[in-house]
Amino acid sequence: MSNCHCRNPLKPYPATIVKIIDETPDVKTFQMVFDDPSVMESFRQKPGQVAQLSVFGVGEATISITSSPTRKGILEFSVKKVGMLTGALHRLEPGSKVGIRGPYGNHFPYEVMKGKDLLFIGGGIGLAPLRALIDFVLAEENRGDYGKVDIIYGARSMDDLCFKYDILDRWPKMPGTTVYTTIDRAEPGWEGHVGFVPAYLEEINPSPENKYAITCGPPIMIKFVLQALEKMGFSDDQVVTTLELKMKCGIGKCGRCNIGSKYVCLDGPVFYLSQLKQLPPEF
Amino acid sequence: MKAYTITRDNLGAWLDALARDYTLIAPVREEETVSLFKPVSGFAEINLGYTNSTVSPKGWLFPQTEEMFFFSTGDGQITLADAQTPGPAVLFGLRPCDIKGILVLDPVFNGAYQDCYYQKRRQNTILVGLSCTRVERHCFCTSMGGGPTDGGGADLLLTEMDGGYGLEALTSRGEELIHRYQDYFIPDRDNRVTAAREELGKKLAGQFTRAVDTTGVKEFLDENFELPYWGELARRCLGCGICTYICPTCHCFDIFDQSPDGESGVRSRCWDSCMFSHFTRMAGGHNPRPTKKERVRNRFLHKLKYHRDRYNLDGCVGCGRCVTRCPVNIDIRQIIADLQEVARHE
Ligand SMILES: Cc1cc2nc3c(=O)[nH]c(=O)nc-3n(C[C@H](O)[C@H](O)[C@H](O)COP(=O)(O)OP(=O)(O)OC[C@H]3O[C@@H](n4cnc5c(N)ncnc54)[C@H](O)[C@@H]3O)c2cc1C
Ligand code: SF4
Ligand code: SF4
Ligand code: FES
């Protein structure tokens, strides 16, 4: 047996929070930088991958890397406050020390998607992993590789929209890009669309031709979005989604995130709908 | 590879010497009915007469609770310090099924992400097997491709024989260990040791109270995820998790931090069990395996299908521990037989 000279994958790298953006009442985006510049340099995530974030003394949680790899020198994570670790993260301030290990998991099939139009459908915090791919595709060096980009995004209320600066301001100005935003119920001050994401998707009724649909959001939204896409004629190989399952190690050891013989931390979180249909219904 | 004989007296002396030079982990009788693997200071503490330890010996390579690293914050910096890993060790007296159990764990802790904790212990540990001398009521290693005198995977295999013990070196590491202590051993020039072991194996093969046929079970499970059978089984299961703690092949763990002062502390991992409801319960309350039915199914599919899919190895070695210890007599041998039966009627 060969000696183990690897770097311990269960040990995080120290990092510092450099900026915190309040997205919604319970979501914050954290910009982080590794304390060791050589780690920052060698950390090469792909859109769709996750990391394990540590608050030392509290623990770890699996969080999607929401910044595109085309953005160098910084990592962004958008975290919804739901429990111990995410609660502790929300109490931190710029300058606080955290730990990051990763990147883990597979990634969106951006190579396969070259030459195609892309339809993004996100709900709530589910936009976080999609955003890594959106910004990757819209980055100057990659934009020519992809066709039209449509983004459908919804949240419960205006307050619950994440990345407002992107969806209301930055992305709509990008060439070949259309952003459709919706909230569940009408509100004073909202002039955009009102209604659930799947219904809005059916209204927009995008053609499946030469297109990939990439979706992420709460399970119930994903369920109806998948049904709507199927109705519009998207094949199971044109639809990509991410799965969320409880994770601990992130590297296929702790045995926690299996769906059948697959581990979400290694074989996912990104799956084609055709693959999803092969898995036992345990998510 | 070479074989040797060793007298009873010399075996004791050799083990005393091993305990001086290495961390020696061996089966110890704790109470009348419980036997465990623990570090020992010499031969006097070792129980060679056990058949199957209550808890499997995997805990030396993958401890029940293991410190991973220490952290401390000071001057706005985070410092991480590795926990110490043990030095050279000899894991002595492993029954063949438990050696196989280690071979089942190896690929999990190997792979693209090497688990440094397991790997370091594994590389630093010499495995000495011990052929069985009797078959317990719940043993079924032969059904899972093993056998009571199959030492495959160990560095050395010890077998009781007339007038003492035989010791076969199965790897160069085992050979080196013998070489280091050569005064205790007599080279076996006429193959007596191997012959005696094979004879013993034949004798024991006839003593299994129950054999099961696993043919086709995995293929049946490939096609059938939903079976009313899992619900029936789950009604009996208490969800106590004992089956997973004592199993030589279960490897699930949890990770947790302890920091009494909020500034420094330790991150550790400890065994966990898929039989517990919190195992897959997510923040917000969603649980993909909400009832015992899904959890029981997951455990048996893991043993009989998932591990094979991923690593091409059965996830069960037939040690029979979960059969012996389950408070409600859930018996994996019966499950395999029942699945055969269900498959016939599908
Ligand atoms: C692939 C993937 C990507 C994710 N991306 C994001 C993201 O970008 N932003 C975000 O806010 N959340 C994301 N999550 C969910 C996030 O991991 C959980 O909300 C978080 O772990 C809850 O931790 P907690 O300690 O605050 O909650 P607690 O309820 O205190 O959880 C205790 C432990 O349970 C585990 N756990 C609980 N819920 C989940 C869960 N849903 N997924 C995984 N592990 C869980 C964690 O190990 C956690 O340490 C993602 C989850 C997965 C699996
Ligand atoms: S030991 Fe028996 S009762 Fe306990 S969890 Fe395992 S199968 Fe269920
Ligand atoms: S499943 Fe039961 S019989 Fe099989 S290896 Fe584990 S404890 Fe032993
Ligand atoms: S998170 Fe540990 S196996 Fe996937």
Side-chain angles (χ1 to χ4, degrees):
Chain A
M1 196 174 307
S2 71
N3 260 319
C4 179
H5 295 306
C6 61
R7 190 198 173 267
N8 178 355
L10 290 168
K11 199 163 111 191
Y13 291 101
T16 305
I17 299 177
V18 293
K19 192 175 169 198
I20 301 176
I21 303 160
D22 287 308
E23 299 284 354
T24 78
D26 61 1
V27 176
K28 289 184 184 185
T29 295
F30 298 85
Q31 293 188 346
M32 299 185 185
V33 175
F34 288 106
D35 290 355
D36 180 346
S38 69
V39 174
M40 194 76 239
E41 181 56 35
S42 58
F43 192 96
R44 299 259 160 76
Q45 86 273 20
K46 292 177 171 159
Q49 286 193 298
V50 302
Q52 290 292 115
L53 292 192
S54 283
V55 177
F56 295 101
V58 182
E60 288 185 309
T62 313
I63 306 292
S64 306
I65 304 169
T66 185
S67 50
S68 160
T70 51
R71 214 169 133 197
K72 304 265 190 279
I74 199 151
L75 292 174
E76 279 189 323
F77 301 92
S78 297
V79 181
K80 185 170 171 134
K81 192 170 114 189
V82 293
M84 290 274 288
L85 191 281
T86 51
L89 260 179
H90 271 243
R91 286 192 294 276
L92 297 180
E93 284 169 4
S96 297
K97 296 290 176 187
V98 292
I100 305 174
R101 57 186 182 94
Y104 295 135
N106 67 355
H107 52 83
F108 290 117
Y110 57 87
E111 306 94 338
V112 181
M113 289 173 169
K114 281 187 181 168
K116 307 282 180 175
D117 293 343
L118 302 179
L119 167 66
F120 292 92
I121 309 156
I125 180 85
L127 188 56
L130 301 186
R131 182 175 176 256
L133 181 60
I134 294 172
D135 276 338
F136 176 85
V137 167
L138 295 181
E140 224 174 273
E141 63 262 45
N142 298 326
R143 188 64 190 95
D145 290 340
Y146 301 90
K148 234 174 98 27
V149 171
D150 290 317
I151 302 163
I152 305 177
Y153 178 55
R156 261 174 315 186
S157 70
M158 260 164 82
D159 259 1
D160 289 304
L161 292 169
C162 290
F163 314 114
K164 290 187 193 68
Y165 39 93
D166 286 331
I167 52 164
L168 302 177
D169 197 36
R170 195 164 62 92
W171 289 339
K173 293 195 190 117
M174 302 289 233
T177 308
T178 314
V179 183
Y180 305 85
T181 313
T182 183
I183 58 174
D184 288 0
R185 266 175 294 279
E187 258 180 73
W190 178 254
E191 286 170 7
H193 187 273
V194 173
F196 294 121
V197 168
Y200 196 22
L201 167 65
E202 289 196 44
E203 241 173 78
I204 298 163
N205 195 20
S207 141
E209 199 181 325
N210 197 41
K211 191 175 289 166
Y212 277 99
I214 308 107
T215 183
C216 185
I220 185 81
M221 182 208 91
I222 294 192
K223 186 174 159 208
F224 289 115
V225 162
L226 295 181
Q227 284 175 11
L229 289 172
E230 201 159 358
K231 240 192 297 178
M232 288 165 197
F234 281 83
S235 78
D236 294 350
D237 288 322
Q238 283 175 285
V239 178
V240 171
T241 183
T242 66
L243 277 190
E244 204 178 302
L245 231 74
K246 186 155 160 175
M247 288 173 39
K248 278 285 174 184
C249 69
I251 53 172
K253 315 287 181 210
C254 77
R256 193 170 302 263
C257 68
N258 76 299
I259 298 179
S261 305
K262 301 276 181 214
Y263 281 135
V264 172
C265 65
L266 296 177
D267 308 307
V270 177
F271 292 94
Y272 284 99
L273 181 55
S274 48
Q275 293 172 316
L276 223 54
K277 287 186 171 173
Q278 306 283 315
L279 297 178
E282 278 202 304
F283 41 85
Chain B
M1 285 286 167
K2 292 195 192 126
Y4 304 82
T5 56
I6 182 168
T7 62
R8 260 167 234 282
D9 286 349
N10 271 345
L11 180 69
W14 178 51
L15 284 164
D16 286 341
L18 279 180
R20 279 194 297 275
D21 301 344
Y22 294 84
T23 303
L24 178 64
I25 305 95
V28 172
R29 189 190 297 277
E30 292 261 286
E31 295 160 28
E32 217 30 59
T33 53
V34 179
S35 60
L36 294 169
F37 277 75
K38 285 211 313 199
V40 296
S41 59
F43 178 62
E45 288 173 49
I46 299 176
N47 169 21
L48 285 180
Y50 87 107
T51 300
N52 239 333
S53 58
T54 309
V55 185
S56 92
K58 76 177 171 196
W60 173 253
L61 302 173
F62 171 48
Q64 275 176 293
T65 302
E66 178 172 36
E67 287 173 342
M68 301 201 294
F69 57 82
F70 299 90
F71 51 85
S72 63
T73 51
D75 313 326
Q77 295 298 317
I78 294 273
T79 328
L80 302 181
D82 291 328
Q84 277 212 315
T85 39
V90 174
L91 188 44
F92 176 83
L94 294 164
R95 293 298 182 191
C97 58
D98 287 337
I99 303 166
K100 230 175 143 216
I102 293 171
L103 301 183
V104 172
L105 293 180
D106 280 345
V108 174
F109 291 110
N110 211 324
Y113 297 96
Q114 298 232 326
D115 188 294
C116 302
Y117 303 101
Y118 180 93
Q119 295 294 351
K120 283 201 185 116
R121 285 169 173 270
R122 182 77 166 93
Q123 281 146 21
N124 276 336
T125 305
I126 297 170
L127 306 180
V128 182
L130 177 62
S131 294
C132 294
T133 48
R134 56 171 183 267
V135 171
E136 293 282 355
R137 207 152 51 88
H138 293 138
C139 293
F140 64 107
C141 61
T142 43
S143 303
M144 304 310 294
T149 59
D150 292 355
D155 296 302
L156 292 167
L157 179 65
L158 187 72
T159 305
E160 204 177 334
M161 55 190 275
D162 279 348
Y165 290 87
L167 196 61
E168 289 161 282
L170 306 176
T171 65
S172 52
R173 198 155 76 156
E175 187 74 55
E176 280 160 29
L177 190 76
I178 298 225
H179 193 69
R180 188 167 169 196
Y181 298 96
Q182 53 190 325
D183 292 349
Y184 296 110
F185 304 98
I186 305 156
D188 174 38
R189 298 198 200 286
D190 39 14
N191 268 332
R192 277 176 55 227
V193 174
T194 308
R197 181 174 51 75
E198 280 169 3
E199 175 117 355
L200 178 65
K202 270 191 217 125
K203 190 185 98 193
L204 294 178
Q207 293 181 11
F208 286 83
T209 53
R210 178 156 190 192
V212 282
D213 177 12
T214 58
T215 327
V217 168
K218 144 104 172 84
E219 290 70 21
F220 174 68
L221 294 173
D222 285 345
E223 301 300 322
N224 295 276
F225 184 70
E226 300 288 352
L227 293 173
Y229 180 68
W230 301 120
E232 291 165 31
L233 210 55
R235 273 197 290 281
R236 281 160 58 201
C237 171
L238 307 174
C240 66
I242 288 174
C243 49
T244 57
Y245 280 86
I246 57 181
C247 177
T249 70
C250 278
H251 57 80
C252 292
F253 61 85
D254 197 359
I255 300 178
F256 63 96
D257 284 10
Q258 284 163 298
S259 172
D261 62 2
E263 278 173 7
S264 58
V266 59
R267 179 165 295 170
S268 313
R269 65 176 173 190
C270 61
W271 293 356
D272 203 345
S273 170
C274 65
M275 302 308 281
F276 298 150
S277 60
H278 73 238
F279 189 70
T280 47
R281 194 179 154 278
M282 292 194 273
H286 175 65
N287 193 344
R289 296 203 277 271
T291 75
K292 272 185 280 183
K293 178 185 148 206
E294 295 85 17
R295 300 195 281 273
V296 165
R297 171 172 60 196
N298 184 69
R299 173 167 163 247
F300 289 106
L301 284 178
H302 206 134
K303 298 292 175 211
L304 303 171
K305 167 175 158 59
Y306 301 159
H307 207 80
R308 264 237 229 148
D309 282 341
R310 278 203 95 84
Y311 306 113
N312 201 22
L313 288 168
D314 285 318
C316 172
V317 296
C319 73
R321 284 188 180 86
C322 59
V323 183
T324 317
R325 298 287 156 183
C326 176
V328 296
N329 299 328
I330 288 177
D331 182 337
I332 187 169
R333 298 171 303 178
Q334 188 61 42
I335 289 166
I336 292 166
D338 288 347
L339 288 170
Q340 295 274 19
E341 192 62 25
V342 180
R344 264 195 291 279
H345 291 100
E346 274 294 296

